[in-house]
Amino acid sequence: MNRFKNSINGLTVVKVLIYALFGLFMLLPLLSVFVVSFTGEPTNLLGSLTDPAIFNSTIEKFKNMSLDNFKRIFSNAGYFSALKNSLVLAFTVMIIIILICIPLAYGIARTKMPFKKTISALCMIPLIVPTFISAYAFIIMFGRAGWVTQIYNALGGEGMLLNPYSMAGVVAVQVFFFFPYALWPLVAAFKVSDISLEEASQNLGAKNWFTFIFVTFPLALPGVISSALLIFTVSFSDFGSPIVLAPKELNLLVVEAYREIAGFFNWGGAAILTVVMVIVAAFFFYLQHLFTKGKNYGSISGKPKQQKLIENKLLNRVLSGYSFFIVLIPLLAMLSVALQSVATTWGKDLLPSGYTLNHYKTIFSTSMGNIQNSIMLAGGALVLSVIVATFVSYFVVRQNSAKLDFIASIPLVVPGIAFGIALIQTFNTAPLQLTGTAVLLIIAYTIRRLPYMVRSTMGSMRAIKQDIEEAAVNLGATPLTAAITIVGPLLLPGIAAGSVLVFITVIKEASVSILLAPPEWAPMSLAIFQNILRAEYYSAAAMSVVLVVLVLVLQGIANLIAKKQRL
């Protein structure tokens, strides 16, 4: 008994609370949606623990569990088509992005191509733009009255150069706005490879192209594989571009899952689609680790080597022109949104017929609440993320809590739309009827973005020597007090960097916001989405610009913090 009492301290209580948070708001919802995929109807697992009547009802549902819903994936033409189309979309985007990023990454990492810094800066634009805004931007550019369409028709073309409301349109948006996810790992892969192997190849008489194909590229293969699988997962889980662009005849898993829960209240259908999304995303996340695990691609020795950048003028000019074309599309897309935000009318001519700031006056007078909601919700998620991530990092680093590390990483493989559906199914009835409240929305934001904060603080935690807090404990402080007062302040640099990242990603969040946000707490992302659906394009454009500017400011703060940390 005394040993048990001695083992209970403040840190133990905090650890139990963190496990309870993950168990209640992540593991239980995922388990619930898994159960519903077999029962075909809502199953209140939480209520079963407190109400005998609900418990008996749950037992009856368990008796009727079957594989019928899983069979429907292959027998239901709509579901099977959605799964097939989603896989085709993700594979297509993955292959195209890898192909376009290899020369771009090689140019940034290994050549002296002109305007390298400018190109690198422009490659950051897609990262700050929510995908539903980028999808809307492509409508402005390539729609029936889009300015690109008008130029195309003026040059003799017929119809649209690219139909944004098609699979090709969704692919184009994802390619041009997801490519940075693959670009920077590929740049790193090309930078770290040992150039002495390439020099040896050339000294033996190999041409540059032969050396690239048979020496340079194989050395960068781990980065290529990792980037490809990451892009597949990101594309497969994306909700923003399909929900705006995908036509009714194009079934996609994320859109079908949203329609099942939001339009038809088909719990069984939504649950099975959610389970399939999680399984596919988790499988490719697992492959990302499997392909590089146990394989030795090492080529760097202890002897330092200076990497010589390629000075071939023709190659550098070609790569520079190619790179500018790639980054120009997202830049023009965002400039198109900005131009529409100040247009009186735009559609018949190449440029707007007039310019006004009334759209901004409208959103600041009627939609100021949405801006405030975004900031308050992101602030709430940020505070909760800081508290939870700090202690998770502490337990993982100090106590080697591998289980907690694994649990905290689960949100990385759960698509946002799947997580939102799981939360709705779990908390739409007593005893915790939280669906439609800001509380559940903040918790959902926190769990979705927690891995970013954990990874940011974990690096700083490993740099803090344990003897600092041991000295505080020896002087009479409890382990919890030492963790809060000694370790906490030393973690501030990692917390600050992770905080901005969490805030930015929450501000941009669309899938969870669309599913869970109550009307009185509608954030900017939901307001923009609703404006696009209502064809209020000018207001949507103005609010999109405000959202992007807000993200840009936050990104600037993050860069400033990172620069101060390096100093």
Side-chain angles (χ1 to χ4, degrees), residues 495-518:
I495 291 174
S499 295
V500 179
L501 182 59
V502 168
F503 202 91
I504 289 173
T505 51
V506 168
I507 287 283
K508 292 166 42 179
E509 178 65 51
S511 54
V512 169
S513 301
I514 291 170
L515 278 175
L516 295 178

Side-chain angles (χ1 to χ4, degrees), residues 11 32 43 134 146 149 175 209-210 306 363 430 469 506 514:
L11 283 176
S32 296
T43 305
S134 57
T149 302
V175 164
W209 63 266
F210 186 91
Q306 175 132 19
I363 66 168
E469 57 191 284
V506 168
I514 291 170

Side-chain angles (χ1 to χ4, degrees), residues 88-104:
V88 169
L89 171 65
F91 271 116
T92 304
V93 171
M94 177 185 74
I95 292 170
I96 294 175
I97 286 181
I98 292 301
L99 290 177
I100 70 171
C101 277
I102 287 174
L104 179 55

Side-chain angles (χ1 to χ4, degrees), residues 323-524:
S323 302
F324 262 117
F325 172 76
I326 298 299
V327 299
L328 186 63
I329 303 299
L331 179 61
L332 289 175
M334 294 319 301
L335 289 176
S336 300
V337 174
L339 191 59
Q340 181 156 46
S341 72
V342 294
T344 51
T345 56
W346 191 14
K348 295 181 180 180
D349 302 311
L350 188 61
L351 292 173
S353 57
Y355 301 92
T356 179
L357 293 176
N358 287 338
H359 307 308
Y360 287 96
K361 292 179 182 178
T362 300
I363 66 168
F364 282 118
S365 60
T366 62
S367 302
M368 196 65 192
N370 300 119
I371 300 174
Q372 293 172 347
N373 288 343
S374 290
I375 295 173
M376 292 176 67
L377 290 168
L382 176 60
V383 172
L384 189 55
S385 295
V386 168
I387 296 172
V388 176
T390 299
F391 283 105
V392 168
S393 300
Y394 182 90
F395 294 131
V396 172
V397 175
R398 290 288 188 262
Q399 301 180 4
N400 297 318
S401 183
K403 291 180 182 178
L404 196 56
D405 189 20
F406 172 75
I407 292 174
S409 301
I410 290 177
L412 291 173
V413 303
V414 181
I417 193 74
F419 187 52
I421 290 173
L423 288 174
I424 290 174
Q425 291 192 351
T426 305
F427 297 105
N428 67 331
T429 55
L432 280 180
Q433 194 165 352
L434 297 176
T435 299
T437 66
V439 172
L440 187 61
L441 189 57
I442 289 174
I443 293 173
Y445 286 153
T446 300
I447 292 177
R448 282 268 291 154
R449 303 307 172 190
L450 194 62
Y452 302 149
M453 180 65 79
V454 170
R455 295 293 168 246
S456 179
T457 54
M458 202 174 290
S460 300
M461 179 68 72
R462 288 195 173 99
I464 301 172
K465 291 187 176 181
Q466 193 166 354
D467 56 6
I468 299 175
E469 57 191 284
E470 288 176 350
V473 173
N474 291 335
L475 290 173
T478 64
L480 178 60
T481 302
I484 294 174
T485 59
I486 304 298
V487 178
L490 295 174
L491 276 178
L492 284 179
I495 291 174
S499 295
V500 179
L501 182 59
V502 168
F503 202 91
I504 289 173
T505 51
V506 168
I507 287 283
K508 292 166 42 179
E509 178 65 51
S511 54
V512 169
S513 301
I514 291 170
L515 278 175
L516 295 178
E520 64 274 14
W521 280 99
M524 295 172 66

